[in-house]
Amino acid sequence: MSKPPTLEQFQGCLIGQAVADALGAPWEGMPGDLLAELGPAERIVAHVEQRELRYTDDTQMMIGVVETLLAHGTIDVDALAAAFAENYDPARGYGSGARQIISAIGAGEDWRCLAATIFNGEGSLGNGAAMRVAPLGVLFSHDLERVVAEAARSSAPTHTHPIGIDSARLLAVAAALAARSARKRFKRGEFLEALLSYAETDEFQWQIDHALQLEPFESLIAFGNSVEAHRSVMTSIVCFCDSPDDYSAAICRALGQGNDADTLAAMTGALAGARLGLAKIPTQLVQCLEEGEQGRSYLLILAERLWQLAKRG
Ligand SMILES: [Mg+2]
């Protein structure tokens, strides 16, 4: 039986995501090879002092997930849709599908038909359901069946494609396993084997199987770097698995993939923070994170409330 996550781990997950999301934000859409020409991602992270780190839609939607869990103890899908609409700030870099759905929810339309009919009636398979779900995995890390059920529900307002839903389930399980791995030697093979047992779609079964065959730090090219869930979520998970004890190294590798750099880094940052805790995230990065209504202090309050909720069981 693993120990319950500590306050530090909840803080690490939320702040780890927000910091990495904000570090990746200026580079979103830039091809990885062009980004590499500007210098290694390590340089971006090392020269952060000059600017405030502002997070994007990934973290704003994660806040909605956490607020819903705190208010209801579970994912109430109507409440989650309302939280997305309440928090929505179009300047945070939302994708076109999310913009359409969240604006419509805010105008009183029903998210059920919107989410299912978007993208030619197939539903979204973007990484938007996965990018917001990590704290849910940490909260329910003692019960992986509950993690997958809650994560699948959390995708409903915006992502109804099987790949979109599977990506949320898997990122949440990865966060739960990362939280469980705290204070122990990280076992990459065991982590990926456990993750594989929860993959429902062929795309993710293949990718996790492939990750199991790779040595750490081999090329991530097979996992992609774009907004589709099956072209980004395993990239982030493998970046964490290859540097499980070094927050900066893990997020720099994710960020350096380019393209959907903010989301890639955000997902890796949440996993690394959930394992390592807030103290292992460099202080100079945390200090640059934006303050204000839903800034750093608010994220720390949410983390503490989640920890309290976890203790109550
Ligand atoms: Mg974003």
Side-chain angles (χ1 to χ4, degrees):
M1 187 69 189
S2 56
K3 288 189 182 147
T6 62
L7 172 59
E8 271 267 294
Q9 287 180 266
F10 282 106
Q11 292 170 329
C13 179
L14 270 63
I15 299 287
Q17 160 145 354
V19 162
D21 176 14
L23 282 167
W27 312 102
E28 186 176 8
M30 183 171 285
D33 46 359
L34 201 58
L35 188 59
E37 277 179 32
L38 293 172
E42 284 76 4
R43 195 179 299 168
I44 295 170
V45 174
H47 291 87
V48 78
E49 298 85 4
Q50 297 90 340
R51 65 184 180 97
E52 180 189 50
L53 288 175
R54 278 182 66 77
Y55 62 72
T56 76
D57 56 331
D58 308 61
T59 301
Q60 188 157 73
M61 293 190 90
M62 177 195 78
I63 288 171
V65 171
V66 173
E67 289 173 336
T68 302
L69 289 168
L70 291 172
H72 299 273
T74 183
I75 292 295
D76 175 305
V77 186
D78 285 309
L80 180 62
F84 290 155
E86 173 76 19
N87 290 335
Y88 180 54
D89 171 2
R92 296 278 180 178
Y94 284 78
S96 65
R99 273 205 307 273
Q100 235 176 297
I101 293 177
I102 297 170
S103 308
I105 294 168
E109 290 183 44
D110 187 355
W111 55 265
R112 284 169 190 80
C113 357
L114 291 163
T117 53
I118 202 163
F119 297 113
N120 302 322
E122 293 180 0
S124 174
L125 51 66
N127 51 24
M131 74 188 189
R132 64 193 186 214
V133 82
L136 181 158
V138 182
L139 177 63
F140 299 119
S141 58
H142 58 284
D143 181 353
L144 297 183
E145 293 304 326
R146 176 133 192 220
V147 168
V148 291
E150 297 273 358
R153 273 214 301 289
S154 77
S155 69
T158 52
H159 291 72
T160 59
H161 192 289
I163 288 176
I165 298 168
D166 209 20
S167 72
R169 298 166 70 258
L170 292 170
L171 201 283
V173 170
L177 296 171
R180 285 185 182 197
S181 76
R183 300 171 296 279
K184 293 183 211 154
R185 189 170 68 82
F186 187 78
K187 295 180 179 165
R188 189 180 184 282
E190 276 181 24
F191 180 98
L192 290 168
E193 290 281 2
L195 196 62
L196 181 58
S197 68
Y198 287 94
E200 285 188 342
T201 55
D202 290 347
E203 286 80 359
F204 280 109
Q205 284 167 1
W206 183 88
Q207 288 202 358
I208 300 171
D209 213 31
H210 183 64
L212 275 160
Q213 292 166 41
L214 293 180
E215 293 296 322
F217 300 104
E218 280 194 69
S219 169
L220 298 171
I221 200 155
F223 306 116
N225 66 354
S226 59
V227 296
E228 294 94 349
H230 60 306
R231 303 297 300 149
S232 52
V233 171
M234 278 308 297
T235 313
S236 295
I237 291 174
V238 174
C239 285
F240 162 67
C241 287
D242 288 357
S243 302
D245 295 316
D246 187 336
Y247 173 86
S248 294
I251 65 160
C252 283
R253 185 144 172 252
L255 179 58
Q257 303 306 306
N259 205 346
D260 201 11
D262 61 322
T263 300
L264 291 168
M267 293 189 287
T268 302
L271 299 178
R275 168 171 163 82
L276 299 170
L278 180 62
K280 295 285 171 63
I281 301 173
T283 315
Q284 70 271 24
L285 297 181
V286 179
Q287 279 170 348
C288 289
L289 186 60
E290 65 177 284
E291 264 299 10
E293 211 183 330
Q294 290 190 323
R296 185 178 64 232
S297 299
Y298 184 65
L299 291 170
L300 290 170
I301 290 167
L302 291 180
E304 181 157 4
R305 289 186 187 154
L306 272 182
W307 174 63
Q308 300 283 3
L309 179 62
K311 280 202 298 183
R312 288 201 298 274

